[in-house]
């Protein structure tokens, strides 16, 4: 079955803290992987993506993610979060040309 | 750069009414996807179209139908609306050979 699991539903951090959001997906052969962010009241925006090649991918706003094939994981990281990173983050593997979204992680950054 | 355009942005309907949501993909994108995001929930895939043909189907109720037209825009038709249909409906588009999907700003449907 095609599934994706995000480990934390709510995360609260202080500014400048480091962030790591876990994401595991079910095996489905070659899979493209995405992280999307949804700021309060806004639409989904692409943070970063992995198709092939270097398993460490860098996205916008200082975010990066590491694809670990052996663990079926694609964890999102940021060394130092800002108040403006408060949003909901969705991991989304692509299965059969459609995105399957995880349940999302709501990140709140305290200033 | 042009983005995915959805209209209307907000829609209020009564139970048992009908709604039509429109999506205009990025120029030269040939694939359109529809997602439904209920309050506090993750986006759920509804249906997709490639070159005006349905390419995949997810958890779309029978009361809903969709199509993609010759200019690649898509419409999601929703009939016999129920309170539970209140959600944010996203459309996304992509181009052949480029798996990245770009999302529109969504249509917020409220059924009262």
């Amino acid at each position: 079955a095609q599934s994706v699991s995000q480990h934390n539903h709510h995360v609260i951090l202080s500014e400048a803290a480091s962030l790591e959001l876990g994401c595991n997906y079910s095996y489905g052969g070659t899979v493209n992987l995405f992280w999307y962010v949804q700021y309060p009241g806004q639409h989904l925006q692409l943070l970063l993506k992995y198709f092939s090649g270097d398993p460490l991918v860098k996205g916008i706003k200082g975010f990066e993610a590491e694809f670990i094939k052996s663990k079926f994981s694609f964890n999102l990281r940021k060394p130092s979060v800002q108040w403006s990173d408060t949003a909901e983050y969705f991991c989304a593997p692509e299965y059969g040309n459609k995105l399957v979204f995880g349940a999302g992680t709501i990140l709140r950054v305290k200033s | 750069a042009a983005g995915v355009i959805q209209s209307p942005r907000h829609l209020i309907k009564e139970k048992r009414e009908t709604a039509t949501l429109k999506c205009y993909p990025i120029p030269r994108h040939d694939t359109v996807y529809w997602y439904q995001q209920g309050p506090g929930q993750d986006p759920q895939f509804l249906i997709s179209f490639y070159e005006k043909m349905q390419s995949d189907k997810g958890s779309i109720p029978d009361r809903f139908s969709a199509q993609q037209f010759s200019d690649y825009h898509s419409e999601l038709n929703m009939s016999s609306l129920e309170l539970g249909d209140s959600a944010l409906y996203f459309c996304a588009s992509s181009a052949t050979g480029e798996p990245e999907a770009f999302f529109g700003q969504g249509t917020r449907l409220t059924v009262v």
Side-chain angles (χ1 to χ4, degrees), chain B residues 9-85:
Chain B
R9 291 290 309 280
H10 300 272
L11 190 59
I12 300 175
K13 290 284 186 178
E14 296 188 354
K15 283 192 303 183
R16 293 179 288 279
E17 283 194 315
T18 297
T20 297
L21 310 186
K22 298 185 179 182
C23 170
Y24 298 87
I26 291 172
R28 290 180 292 280
H29 280 195
D30 48 18
T31 305
V32 168
Y33 313 82
W34 285 96
Y35 288 83
Q36 177 192 56
Q37 186 178 23
Q41 306 207 352
D42 54 293
Q44 295 289 320
F45 173 73
L46 291 178
I47 196 167
S48 63
F49 293 87
Y50 168 68
E51 284 290 342
K52 292 151 281 185
M53 299 287 290
Q54 181 182 307
S55 56
D56 206 344
K57 195 172 182 180
S59 50
I60 184 169
D62 292 340
R63 299 177 288 107
F64 294 5
S65 65
Q67 57 182 322
Q68 185 179 32
F69 295 84
S70 58
D71 64 351
Y72 294 100
H73 94 273
S74 178
E75 294 184 5
L76 177 66
N77 297 293
M78 310 158 70
S79 62
S80 303
L81 287 169
E82 302 173 357
L83 295 178
D85 296 328

Side-chain angles (χ1 to χ4, degrees), chain A residues 51-69:
Chain A
F51 296 157
S52 63
D54 188 343
L56 184 63
V57 292
K58 295 191 183 299
I60 60 171
K61 304 185 181 186
F63 286 90
E64 63 181 32
E66 184 175 13
F67 169 58
I68 303 179
K69 189 175 181 179

Side-chain angles (χ1 to χ4, degrees), chain A residues 36 38 43 46 49 97 99 102, chain B residues 33 35 37 42 100-101 104:
Chain A
Y36 281 86
Q38 188 173 29
H43 64 293
L46 181 67
K49 59 196 176 189
N97 208 37
L99 295 170
Chain B
Y33 313 82
Y35 288 83
Q37 186 178 23
D42 54 293
E100 179 179 342

